[in-house]
Amino acid sequence: MKFKPLFLSMLFVFPAVAGDIAFGTLKGIKVYDQSAKKATELHFADDASSQFIEACNGVGRITHSQHSEAALNQMTSLAIAAYMSGKKVRANSSGRTCELDFLAIQETSF
């Protein structure tokens, strides 16, 4: 039973690591290819929900240097498809930052 306190403490640590940046429709997508900034930003509509990382203010970032070219293409394509169709998007960060590492088109947050 020595492992029980460690297990219980892990239950409180791991849920605090990941968080939704936002869930809702996109009002814009910005792609930066400047000398000081190479990133894609997803700007969520003001009524977006599930903003557990409030410091992001409804903006998720995909820093180009932090992702493979394939991942950049997949996330950008998914975001454009959702934007053009008016579908809801869920953006998540495993590090509780505004950096996306999960993006999905879905009707409800699950």
Side-chain angles (χ1 to χ4, degrees):
M1 289 297 169
K2 291 181 182 180
F3 296 106
K4 189 173 183 179
L6 176 64
F7 175 73
L8 290 175
S9 67
M10 287 171 37
L11 288 176
F12 296 105
V13 172
F14 288 125
V17 174
D20 279 340
I21 295 169
F23 172 69
T25 57
L26 297 174
K27 65 180 177 182
I29 300 169
K30 295 182 178 182
V31 179
Y32 297 90
D33 189 20
Q34 303 166 340
S35 59
K37 184 176 186 178
K38 295 187 183 300
T40 299
E41 292 181 349
L42 306 182
H43 292 259
F44 283 82
D46 296 334
D47 62 350
S49 63
S50 299
Q51 296 185 37
F52 297 119
I53 306 174
E54 292 186 24
C56 298
N57 295 318
V59 179
R61 183 183 336 96
I62 306 167
T63 304
H64 298 172
S65 63
Q66 294 185 19
H67 303 276
S68 69
E69 185 175 346
L72 282 170
N73 290 338
Q74 291 170 340
M75 287 192 279
T76 304
S77 295
L78 192 133
I80 292 169
Y83 176 75
M84 292 183 71
S85 66
K87 296 290 184 180
K88 292 181 180 179
V89 174
R90 178 177 166 223
N92 186 279
S93 172
S94 64
R96 292 199 60 79
T97 67
C98 301
E99 185 69 34
L100 271 77
D101 54 25
F102 173 84
L103 188 64
I105 297 175
Q106 50 191 79
E107 291 299 315
T108 59
S109 184
F110 58 90

